[in-house]
Amino acid sequence: MAAAAGATTDMSAKVGGRIITPHLPVVNSSGPNETELSFDELFTAFSDKHIPLEPTEGIQRRERVLDRMGSLAGEWVKSVCSRQGLDRDAVEAAGGQLFTSGSYRLGVHEPGADIDTILVAPNMCTREDFFGTNPEFMTDDGGRDPLSLAERIRAHPDVTNFVPVEGAAVPILTFDWEGVNIDLLFARINSATAPQGLDIDSDKILDGVDSATEKSLNGPRVTNLIAALAKAGSPDRYQVFLKVVRIVRKWAKARGLYSNKMGYWGGVNINIAVCLTLQLYPNACPASLLRRFFLVFKTWRWPSPVMLTKPHDAGLGLTVWSQHQGASQRQVAPIITPAYPAMNSTLAVSRQTLQIMHEEFCRGYDIIDRLWKDHQKGEKTGTSSSSGDGDKDPCEVFAELLEPSDFFINYPNYLSLCIAGPTLEDSQAWAGFVESRLRKLVSDQLARSLPISKIQLWPKKFEACVADRTALLTKAQRQNSITYFVGFLVDRLRMRGSELNVEQQIQNFRQWDLSRFQPMVPGMDLYVRSFTVKELPRICFEGMYEGGKVEAMKKRRRIRDADPRRQEAKRVRRLAKLKARMAAMQKKKEEAAAAAKAEAEEKVGEKRKRDGTDDDADEEARLLDEVEQIETKEGETSAGEGGGAEAEGEEEDEELLESALDQIQEDEAAGVGKTREEAENDRQKLLAGELLVEGGEDVVDEADDYAFLGDVRHANLLPQEGRAQGEDGENRNDEEAEILKRAGYAVISDDEVPTVGGNMILPWREPEAVSGVKKEKEGSNVPMQKKKPAVEIKFKTKFDIVELDADGYVVDKGDEDFKPSKKWIGRRGGFEFKLGERGLGYYRTGKKIVVPSNTAYN
């Protein structure tokens, strides 16, 4: 391959006057061999066939739209400068440049994809001028300034679906120009001019800008830096990068993983992830790089960050992401942007969405690795891996990777979220607001407060209304509705009762999130409806399954029947049933033998019993054969789970990757380095929900300055002041605890709390109680009789039985030093009648008595 020949392993690049070096070392710098090249030929043929590039007509239309947008933006900048009374030379020199970012800038966009654009304007232009909300120039009826850029674009005859979103953290205009979807951001730099040739890659351009401009400029700056790192060392390396990015984007969209605002990965996250894989394997061909992409991220040690280069601080006062910040330590799966100021591009990712993505990474790797091993065997034997498929194109073996997700048949229960508005314009603005917050409903409200083991939000919307007829929507509302679906699995161990009520969570979501939208127009609402998998509407299956809902249900049945867990459970039940029948037959046989011995003198009865015994013996022999077959099948299955030289090669590849990832855990300056085992334990705990790291900074709106009911995002986390206490704080706490103990209070340390029973496995969570089958004892599995377990509470500390009076106070019964008495009843040897801390009574002479401070003597 040309990329391997003459290519170097130097992946550094010079961008914006600064040398950028990779964060991780190279894992494997070897080029592809002949087998890998032949495998890559199949991959390239499949990619060219199923991931077509933009045709020439589409490219020309996009260039024409960008050119017209640039001219319109330049005219608007001049009009703003003229309004402020600047001279002609200043107006002409003001400039105003249009930059692109994302997939279009990299060249990996599909036909019909949107274009991310950023208008960089001089400091004379404000965001109010851009949106037309400057009070000085608004119309008398409160409308937008007709000379603003937003109104100029809205009024253009080629523009449709115009939606301004001014209230977001990064204000944006989204519209279609000649059928090309455009997302336009605004950036106001601290300069009187924005001339042609403006270097936005230089960190100096961020000097004195506001937060929205910082985030807007981060798009093209990050894209340019990724492109530079992908091109480093070899010009052909960038083409390898583009091929892998295209198919990963296609894979993510097909599997329902492509939506940053819904908590999954977006375009920039995929670009960074593929570029990181390229840094680890700089000379790999596209097919090998794709296989290693899935290998890297199925074994990545979350929540360790993904970084192309170490973050640097340019000294401009902007916040740079740091792994040791409090908010950063609570982020689930951070992917850090390489440009200054470094920030986490996956703040929306939650534990639930990371669980979904990890399953898909594992699935993708299993498919590609299996295809690779089949191809290797075919190369050795001289046969094609797809020769058994007749006339099927060999490259079509990769089609399995891009199969549509089985989301709509994977879950038994679903919720539909119907977003409705009174008019088309209102519904577009309302839907955009609600969409940016659906992840909060799923991850913060439903997943955290309900007994749900797995929950997934499908990121693709349906242009339809599936709300119940009892919702009483108007015809206009139903026409202007879009619907999202959420699938979930109920945790039976945590479930109490037979119904799952989500009304409280939906109400909290409306009250604490949706109520922020302004202006709220009557008719804007979110309608929720529940479905079982068989009740889902047909629109969910159109375009995903050739036979529609009927074929989808058949596939669901095949998947369930092929599930190894279901097969194992079925085998265990069958085996237990057979052994139970054998035990019953053995008991019957013993009873018959006893009866035959007692009635030996009766020959006729003896003969009858003997014949019955012969029949039972035949039945027992048949059951023994069946049990032996089931157990033999189990042994063969266990014996088949092994590996040979291919498994050893795979382990070697994974070991090299693990060694490279070890560098992430080395943090000598902070002194918090983790071993490989500790990092893997953290990843497993994170995916299982046992490691609470969520609750970092917000994603889009940065408006989470409230705490909704039932919020547990900071549960089990130390308070801010507690994190900085150190040894002095711990010593102070020990001293205070000692004082309380001397005062008679029972003090339990944090280390002693779990011993009360917090980590104990509850009786109903025991494997025997869950499966209903006892552990095999003496060679037999007997179904367990389900009965209510006897629960007994035991305490390590012995507690005294006390008596309370009518006011709820402990009644002091006295001891050898004190005898309670409400009145003086005469002299007692060795005691004095006093009022002390234990009340009125006889205190032993010589003992120190503390008189309560609120007591006065006459």
Side-chain angles (χ1 to χ4, degrees):
M1 184 180 177
T8 66
T9 57
D10 182 15
M11 299 294 293
S12 60
K14 186 175 182 180
V15 181
R18 189 169 65 90
I19 301 296
I20 309 297
T21 57
H23 173 55
L24 293 178
V26 173
V27 174
N28 189 345
S29 61
S30 61
N33 54 36
E34 293 296 330
T35 305
E36 289 177 318
L37 289 176
S38 61
F39 187 61
D40 185 63
E41 290 178 0
L42 296 177
F43 171 75
T44 302
F46 174 81
S47 179
D48 295 341
K49 181 178 180 181
H50 294 276
I51 310 177
L53 300 178
E54 183 85 5
T56 304
E57 180 182 355
I59 295 176
Q60 293 175 349
R61 180 170 67 252
R62 290 172 182 270
E63 292 176 349
R64 181 173 63 251
V65 168
L66 291 176
D67 183 64
R68 293 178 179 177
M69 279 182 56
S71 300
L72 190 63
E75 295 173 3
W76 169 74
V77 172
K78 292 180 180 179
S79 69
V80 173
C81 294
S82 299
R83 274 183 174 180
Q84 298 182 5
L86 300 181
D87 57 46
R88 184 173 182 179
D89 292 339
V91 171
E92 293 296 330
Q97 304 301 320
L98 200 65
F99 294 90
T100 60
S101 65
S103 61
Y104 181 80
R105 165 67 181 83
L106 291 175
V108 295
H109 60 282
E110 301 90 357
D114 62 352
I115 303 179
D116 298 320
T117 57
I118 299 91
L119 173 61
V120 179
N123 55 11
M124 292 85 71
C125 304
T126 65
R127 190 161 283 103
E128 289 75 17
D129 296 327
F130 178 79
F131 282 96
T133 55
N134 191 332
E136 183 179 354
F137 303 108
M138 294 179 67
T139 60
D140 295 336
D141 58 353
R144 297 179 185 271
D145 177 14
L147 296 181
S148 66
L149 183 58
E151 287 302 308
R152 289 171 185 252
I153 294 176
R154 184 202 297 268
H156 197 281
D158 295 331
V159 172
T160 57
N161 299 327
F162 180 85
V163 179
V165 186
E166 187 178 2
V170 184
I172 186 175
L173 296 177
T174 176
F175 51 89
D176 294 337
W177 191 314
E178 293 187 20
V180 179
N181 183 253
I182 303 292
D183 291 337
L184 179 60
L185 303 177
F186 176 77
R188 178 175 180 256
I189 61 175
N190 188 21
S191 174
T193 62
Q196 277 190 328
L198 179 67
D199 185 13
I200 63 171
D201 295 327
S202 174
D203 295 338
K204 295 180 181 179
I205 199 172
L206 298 175
D207 188 13
V209 302
D210 58 17
S211 176
T213 296
E214 169 198 338
K215 291 180 173 61
S216 299
L217 289 174
N218 198 43
R221 285 165 53 82
V222 168
T223 304
N224 293 344
L225 204 151
I226 292 174
L229 289 174
K231 295 176 182 177
S234 171
D236 295 332
R237 193 170 285 158
Y238 187 66
Q239 298 303 318
V240 175
F241 167 78
L242 294 182
K243 283 186 178 181
V244 178
V245 167
R246 289 192 189 104
I247 196 162
V248 171
R249 285 167 57 93
K250 187 83 170 181
W251 163 80
K253 292 179 179 180
R255 304 302 297 179
L257 306 177
Y258 192 85
S259 179
N260 189 274
K261 65 181 178 181
M262 298 294 180
Y264 302 101
W265 279 8
V268 65
N269 310 130
I270 292 176
N271 298 337
I272 293 175
V274 175
C275 188
L276 175 72
T277 311
L278 186 65
Q279 289 180 339
L280 299 177
Y281 306 93
N283 296 324
C285 61
S288 297
L289 191 68
L290 177 65
R291 182 171 65 90
R292 284 159 175 167
F293 165 82
F294 288 113
L295 172 63
V296 168
F297 288 99
K298 93 179 184 72
T299 58
W300 192 266
R301 301 171 186 173
W302 306 111
S304 297
V306 173
M307 294 187 292
L308 296 180
T309 183
K310 289 186 177 180
H312 84 288
D313 192 346
L316 300 179
L318 301 179
T319 302
V320 179
W321 186 92
S322 173
Q323 191 172 0
H324 310 297
Q325 295 174 347
S328 301
Q329 293 176 354
R330 298 191 300 271
Q331 294 165 6
V332 176
I335 298 181
I336 311 305
T337 56
Y340 172 80
M343 61 183 67
N344 183 9
S345 62
T346 53
L347 280 169
V349 174
S350 64
R351 184 191 67 81
Q352 291 75 25
T353 54
L354 178 61
Q355 180 185 12
I356 301 298
M357 289 190 290
H358 181 261
E359 292 176 357
E360 292 294 337
F361 287 137
C362 294
R363 173 190 174 272
Y365 178 75
D366 291 341
I367 292 174
I368 296 297
D369 191 57
R370 171 168 47 81
L371 297 178
W372 164 240
K373 291 177 180 177
D374 291 344
H375 184 77
Q376 283 181 307
K377 294 178 182 177
E379 288 288 319
K380 292 179 179 178
T381 59
T383 58
S384 172
S385 60
S386 59
S387 58
D389 297 334
D391 297 333
K392 185 178 179 180
D393 190 348
C395 71
E396 291 299 320
V397 295
F398 291 95
E400 182 182 357
L401 181 67
L402 303 184
E403 285 184 356
S405 172
D406 292 325
F407 169 78
F408 288 104
I409 61 176
N410 274 349
Y411 298 92
N413 303 289
Y414 294 85
L415 293 177
S416 66
L417 308 175
C418 182
I419 307 170
T423 65
L424 178 61
E425 182 179 356
D426 290 336
S427 64
Q428 287 177 340
W430 170 243
F433 179 84
V434 177
E435 286 172 346
S436 65
R437 285 156 174 78
L438 285 181
R439 58 180 176 80
K440 295 184 178 181
L441 170 64
V442 174
S443 298
D444 293 348
Q445 294 279 4
L446 299 177
R448 294 188 181 185
S449 58
L450 294 176
I452 293 176
S453 59
K454 184 180 179 182
I455 188 168
Q456 181 178 0
L457 170 63
W458 186 246
K460 299 179 182 180
K461 63 184 178 182
F462 292 87
E463 301 286 348
C465 178
V466 297
D468 195 274
R469 295 185 180 275
T470 59
L472 300 179
L473 274 71
T474 64
K475 183 178 179 181
Q477 283 179 305
R478 291 191 177 274
Q479 290 177 345
N480 301 319
S481 298
I482 61 173
T483 301
Y484 287 89
F485 285 89
V486 177
F488 61 92
L489 291 174
V490 175
D491 188 348
R492 300 293 180 185
L493 298 178
R494 296 162 53 201
M495 186 71 176
R496 296 294 179 266
S498 59
E499 294 184 357
L500 192 68
N501 190 352
V502 301
E503 184 61 33
Q504 183 62 51
Q505 286 71 26
I506 299 299
Q507 187 62 32
N508 290 343
F509 182 61
R510 287 194 180 102
Q511 181 178 357
W512 298 102
D513 281 282
L514 301 188
S515 61
R516 292 183 168 212
F517 180 78
Q518 296 295 333
M520 182 68 74
V521 178
M524 293 179 176
D525 206 345
L526 177 69
Y527 300 91
V528 182
R529 182 181 177 185
S530 63
F531 295 89
T532 64
V533 62
K534 295 183 179 180
E535 296 171 347
L536 286 173
R538 296 181 181 273
I539 59 171
C540 299
F541 305 95
E542 295 174 357
M544 296 184 67
Y545 302 95
E546 294 183 359
K549 187 174 181 179
V550 175
E551 289 300 322
M553 293 297 105
K554 291 181 180 179
K555 183 177 181 181
R556 177 174 178 267
R557 173 58 63 183
R558 292 194 299 268
I559 293 175
R560 292 184 64 189
D561 293 342
D563 187 356
R565 292 176 300 179
R566 292 178 63 88
Q567 292 179 350
E568 176 64 16
K570 184 177 180 181
R571 186 194 67 81
V572 170
R573 290 195 300 269
R574 176 63 176 164
L575 188 60
K577 185 177 180 180
L578 291 175
K579 290 186 176 182
R581 288 179 60 185
M582 290 179 61
M585 291 180 62
Q586 184 67 24
K587 184 177 179 181
K588 181 181 178 182
K589 186 177 180 181
E590 292 175 356
E591 292 176 352
K597 184 177 180 180
E599 302 176 0
E601 63 279 4
E602 299 180 7
K603 298 182 179 180
V604 178
E606 182 180 354
K607 183 177 183 302
R608 186 187 310 117
K609 300 298 185 210
R610 187 170 55 251
D611 294 340
T613 303
D614 294 340
D615 294 338
D616 292 343
D618 295 339
E619 178 69 11
E620 183 178 3
R622 186 183 65 80
L623 292 177
L624 283 172
D625 292 340
E626 193 168 350
V627 170
E628 184 178 355
Q629 290 177 3
I630 295 177
E631 293 178 342
T632 302
K633 185 177 180 180
E634 178 187 8
E636 292 176 353
T637 303
S638 302
E641 298 176 356
E646 296 174 356
E648 293 179 0
E650 180 180 347
E651 291 177 359
E652 182 180 356
D653 199 9
E654 292 184 1
E655 180 61 28
L656 290 174
L657 177 60
E658 293 285 355
S659 300
L661 295 180
D662 286 339
Q663 182 166 330
I664 300 178
Q665 314 304 146
E666 296 176 1
D667 196 347
E668 298 178 359
V672 293
K674 297 180 181 179
T675 65
R676 185 179 300 184
E677 291 74 15
E678 291 173 341
E680 177 61 21
N681 289 336
D682 284 350
R683 183 175 75 110
Q684 296 296 339
K685 289 180 180 179
L686 174 61
L687 294 175
E690 299 177 13
L691 183 65
L692 292 181
V693 297
E694 299 178 68
E697 308 159 22
D698 207 349
V699 185
V700 179
D701 50 341
E702 289 188 340
D704 268 354
D705 51 359
Y706 65 96
F708 58 85
L709 296 178
D711 190 359
V712 294
R713 70 176 66 188
H714 300 296
N716 295 344
L717 295 176
L718 290 175
Q720 192 67 29
E721 60 271 17
R723 298 192 193 99
Q725 281 181 353
E727 295 181 358
D728 295 338
E730 294 177 0
N731 294 334
R732 184 166 59 252
N733 290 339
D734 293 340
E735 294 175 0
E736 294 173 353
E738 188 62 27
I739 294 174
L740 291 173
K741 288 181 179 178
R742 288 199 299 267
Y745 290 90
V747 180
I748 301 177
S749 67
D750 292 338
D751 295 334
E752 296 172 339
V753 170
T755 63
V756 176
N759 293 337
M760 293 175 58
I761 300 178
L762 301 177
W764 56 85
R765 288 183 179 269
E766 290 286 352
E768 297 180 6
V770 175
S771 63
V773 179
K774 291 184 178 180
K775 295 181 180 179
E776 186 171 350
K777 296 182 179 180
E778 298 180 359
S780 64
N781 280 351
V782 181
M784 185 179 66
Q785 296 295 330
K786 294 186 177 180
K787 60 181 180 179
K788 187 175 182 180
V791 180
E792 182 181 0
I793 301 176
K794 294 183 178 180
F795 297 94
K796 294 184 65 176
T797 304
K798 298 296 183 181
F799 294 94
D800 295 331
I801 305 300
V802 297
E803 180 182 347
L804 303 180
D805 60 15
D807 297 326
Y809 295 102
V810 177
V811 177
D812 195 338
K813 296 296 186 65
D815 52 25
E816 60 182 8
D817 294 327
F818 171 69
K819 305 298 181 183
S821 178
K822 295 183 179 180
K823 61 181 180 178
W824 188 76
I825 57 176
R827 300 177 61 87
R828 298 188 62 173
F831 287 87
E832 298 179 19
F833 185 74
K834 295 180 179 180
L835 175 63
E837 60 181 351
R838 299 180 65 176
L840 190 63
Y842 290 89
Y843 289 85
R844 183 173 294 278
T845 303
K847 290 288 185 180
K848 184 178 179 181
I849 306 301
V850 179
V851 179
S853 59
N854 60 347
T855 302
Y857 291 92
N858 293 326

